[in-house]
């Protein structure tokens, strides 16, 4: 796994959590529609079964989302620990902004009052530093 892939784990986990939240919202909307459509004329079999399926699916996705949130926080902590090991504070800040806060290079440049080109340099240097840290951790763990 490259340094960039390692650092992108947290962003990917957050994207998946966001997708799960959208799925939950869509299912809850369907549940509202089902309740409105059947109103007082609910036939026990078909309407109740459909609503029960929707509620069950919502609960399943919420459980998965919660476990994904927990895993994402663990990943974030690991990534922050690796980034904190970088000696160059500029590289450290750029990597934190990019991979933990999910900022674009343009946003980072504006915040740091520098050019995007300089942000790209710090980013590249930071990735090299992360690569070395990951290699040292692999060697140390064997």
């Amino acid at each position: 796994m490259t340094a960039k892939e390692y650092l992108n784990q947290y962003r990917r986990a957050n994207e998946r959590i966001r997708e799960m939240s959208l799925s939950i919202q869509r299912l809850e909307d369907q549940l509202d529609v089902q309740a409105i459509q059947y109103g007082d004329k609910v036939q026990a079999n078909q309407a109740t079964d459909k609503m029960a399926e929707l509620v069950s699916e919502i609960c399943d996705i919420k459980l998965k989302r919660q476990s994904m949130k927990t895993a994402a926080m663990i990943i974030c902590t690991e990534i922050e620990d690796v980034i904190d090991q970088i000696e160059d504070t500029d590289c450290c800040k750029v990597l934190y902004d990019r991979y933990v806060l999910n900022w674009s290079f343009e946003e980072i440049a504006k915040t740091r009052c520098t050019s995007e080109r300089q942000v790209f340099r710090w980013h590249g240097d930071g990735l090299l530093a992360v690569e070395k840290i990951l290699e040292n951790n692999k060697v140390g763990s064997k």
Side-chain angles (χ1 to χ4, degrees), residues 26-138:
R26 181 183 48 79
L27 291 170
E28 287 174 344
D29 290 345
Q30 286 179 3
L31 190 60
D32 289 343
V33 169
Q34 290 292 325
I36 291 169
Q37 285 178 347
Y38 293 106
D40 293 333
K41 303 177 193 176
V42 174
Q43 301 252 334
N45 292 348
Q46 192 177 17
T48 308
D49 289 349
K50 180 66 175 170
M51 292 177 106
E53 287 175 20
L54 288 172
V55 169
S56 176
E57 195 171 345
I58 289 169
C59 290
D60 289 345
I61 294 173
K62 282 184 176 182
L63 285 172
K64 288 177 188 174
R65 182 182 64 179
Q66 188 56 44
S67 66
M68 181 66 83
K69 283 182 178 181
T70 303
M73 291 312 302
I74 292 168
I75 292 168
C76 182
T77 303
E78 290 175 3
I79 289 170
E80 287 174 339
D81 289 344
V82 169
I83 290 173
D84 285 343
Q85 293 178 41
I86 299 172
E87 293 177 15
D88 186 334
T89 56
D90 292 320
C91 294
C92 187
K93 181 68 175 145
V94 167
L95 292 179
Y96 182 84
D97 292 346
R98 179 75 177 149
Y99 295 102
V100 176
L101 300 180
N102 199 23
W103 288 1
S104 69
F105 288 114
E106 183 180 346
E107 290 171 315
I108 297 169
K110 284 181 183 176
T111 304
R112 308 274 299 155
C113 299
T114 190
S115 69
E116 277 188 64
R117 182 67 193 125
Q118 183 59 43
V119 171
F120 290 138
R121 283 188 205 107
W122 287 329
H123 180 260
D125 292 344
L127 289 178
L128 291 174
V130 168
E131 200 72 51
K132 287 179 185 175
I133 292 167
L134 293 177
E135 284 177 16
N136 290 339
N137 288 344
K138 284 181 185 177

